[in-house]
C-alpha cells in the first residue's frame, strides 16, 4: 500500500503474503485456519504458490498450498481492461496456519454508495518500484467513487481524489481484503483487483479497483464447504 501506515494488529492478523514460482506476490485474507481468500489473477495455472509467514524477528517461513479453487467466471482479458470479472479464489492450506493468524468474517451482501468508507489492508510495496518494502501489512482508508456496483468498486484517497498521488493499492496488494465496518466489527466486503496512478496513469496512488463479494459470496461459502472448511460466523 503506498503512502499508508502500518496496519493495526487487529487487521494485520487477518492477512498473509502469497508468492508464486514466477516471481509474483499478492495478498490474501485468512477466512479459516486452513483457507485463504485472494484474487483469481494471483493464482493462475502453470505456477506453484506458497504462503509466507513472518515470525517476530521478521524471518519468513514458506507454507504449502494444498489446492486452489478459482471462480469459474474469472476472465483475465476483462481484468486487464479494468472491467468487472469474478476475480475471486480460495487457497486450501496443507496445514493450519500459525496461531498468530485470525479468521476474518465475510460481510453481508450489501450495495455500496459513493462516499462509503472502506479499509484496505495489503502486503504490497510502500513505494512503487522499490522492491524492498513488501511483506508488511499496511492499511489505507479509501472511499467509493464513480458508479459503485455489485460487480466492481473503484476507491480513492478522499484527500487526493485520484488527481494527485495518494493512498491506495500497489504491487503486491492484489487479493488484499477490503474491509467494511459492521455492528460486529470489520468484515470483508471485497478483494483488490487492480490499481492505477493519479489521473488513471499507470502505477499506484490513484484508483484502487475492487471486486466486491456481493455477487460471489455464495460461491465462497459453498466452495469452502466443498473444501471441508467452515467459515467464521457473519
Amino acid at each position: 500500500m503506498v503512502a499508508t501506515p502500518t496496519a493495526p494488529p487487529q487487521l494485520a492478523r487477518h492477512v498473509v503474503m502469497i508468492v508464486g514460482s514466477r516471481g509474483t506476490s499478492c495478498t490474501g485474507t485468512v477466512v479459516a485456519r486452513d483457507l485463504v481468500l485472494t484474487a483469481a489473477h494471483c493464482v493462475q495455472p502453470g505456477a506453484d504458490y506458497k504462503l509466507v509467514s513472518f515470525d517476530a524477528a521478521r524471518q519468513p517461513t514458506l507454507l504449502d498450498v494444498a489446492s486452489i479453487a478459482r471462480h469459474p467466471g474469472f476472465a483475465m482479458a476483462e481484468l486487464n481492461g479494468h472491467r468487472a470479472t469474478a476475480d475471486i479464489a480460495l487457497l486450501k492450506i496443507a496445514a493450519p496456519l500459525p496461531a498468530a493468524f485470525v479468521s476474518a468474517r465475510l460481510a453481508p451482501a450489501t450495495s455500496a454508495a459513493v462516499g462509503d468508507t472502506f479499509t484496505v489492508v495489503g502486503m504490497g510495496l510502500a513505494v512503487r518500484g522499490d522492491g524492498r518494502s513488501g511483506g508488511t501489512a499496511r492499511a489505507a482508508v479509501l472511499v467509493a467513487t464513480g458508479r459503485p456496483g455489485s460487480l466492481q468498486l473503484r476507491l480513492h484517497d478522499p484527500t487526493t481524489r485520484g488527481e494527485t498521488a495518494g493512498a491506495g493499492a500497489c504491487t503486491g496488494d492484489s487479493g488484499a481484503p477490503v474491509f467494511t465496518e459492521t455492528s460486529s466489527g470489520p468484515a470483508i466486503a471485497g478483494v483488490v483487483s487492480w490499481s492505477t496512478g493519479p489521473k488513471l496513469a499507470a502505477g499506484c496512488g490513484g484508483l484502487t479497483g475492487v471486486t466486491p463479494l456481493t455477487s460471489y459470496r455464495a460461491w465462497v461459502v459453498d466452495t469452502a464447504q466443498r473444501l471441508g472448511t467452515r467459515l467464521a460466523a457473519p
Side-chain angles (χ1 to χ4, degrees):
M1 303 294 295
V2 294
T4 63
T6 302
Q10 62 267 31
L11 293 179
R13 64 185 184 175
H14 296 314
V15 298
V16 64
M17 190 174 183
I18 303 167
V19 294
S21 57
R22 293 179 176 176
T24 58
S25 175
C26 282
T27 301
T29 315
V30 178
V31 291
R33 291 292 302 280
D34 61 351
L35 200 67
V36 168
L37 173 71
T38 191
H41 79 266
C42 287
V43 285
Q44 286 299 288
D48 297 321
Y49 297 93
K50 291 183 181 293
L51 304 187
V52 184
S53 174
F54 296 94
D55 63 19
R58 295 296 297 165
Q59 294 301 306
T61 298
L62 295 180
L63 307 174
D64 291 332
V65 174
S67 62
I68 297 172
R70 305 169 191 86
H71 195 288
F74 172 69
M76 184 65 81
E78 296 300 304
L79 179 76
N80 288 339
H82 292 173
R83 294 183 293 271
T85 188
D87 194 18
I88 300 290
L90 287 170
L91 282 65
K92 180 76 171 182
I93 314 307
L97 290 163
F101 292 102
V102 175
S103 301
R105 299 175 300 106
L106 303 184
T110 56
S111 57
V114 171
D116 283 356
T117 300
F118 299 89
T119 301
V120 183
V121 182
M123 302 283 285
L125 300 180
V127 179
R128 183 174 183 249
D130 69 355
R132 300 183 302 275
S133 57
T136 296
R138 295 181 175 85
V141 178
L142 307 175
V143 300
T145 186
R147 298 180 178 178
S150 61
L151 298 178
Q152 188 177 80
L153 293 178
R154 298 186 176 206
L155 310 180
H156 65 191
D157 185 329
T159 62
T160 60
R161 304 180 66 85
E163 294 299 312
T164 57
C170 200
T171 305
D173 290 321
S174 286
V178 179
F179 290 106
T180 186
E181 194 64 33
T182 72
S183 58
S184 301
I188 313 166
V191 302
V192 171
S193 288
W194 51 265
S195 66
T196 74
K199 297 183 178 180
L200 302 181
C204 313
L207 290 179
T208 295
V210 176
T211 298
L213 288 187
T214 298
S215 297
Y216 309 116
R217 194 181 191 282
W219 179 87
V220 171
V221 173
D222 292 346
T223 303
Q225 292 178 343
R226 178 172 58 82
L227 294 173
T229 297
R230 181 183 295 275
L231 299 183

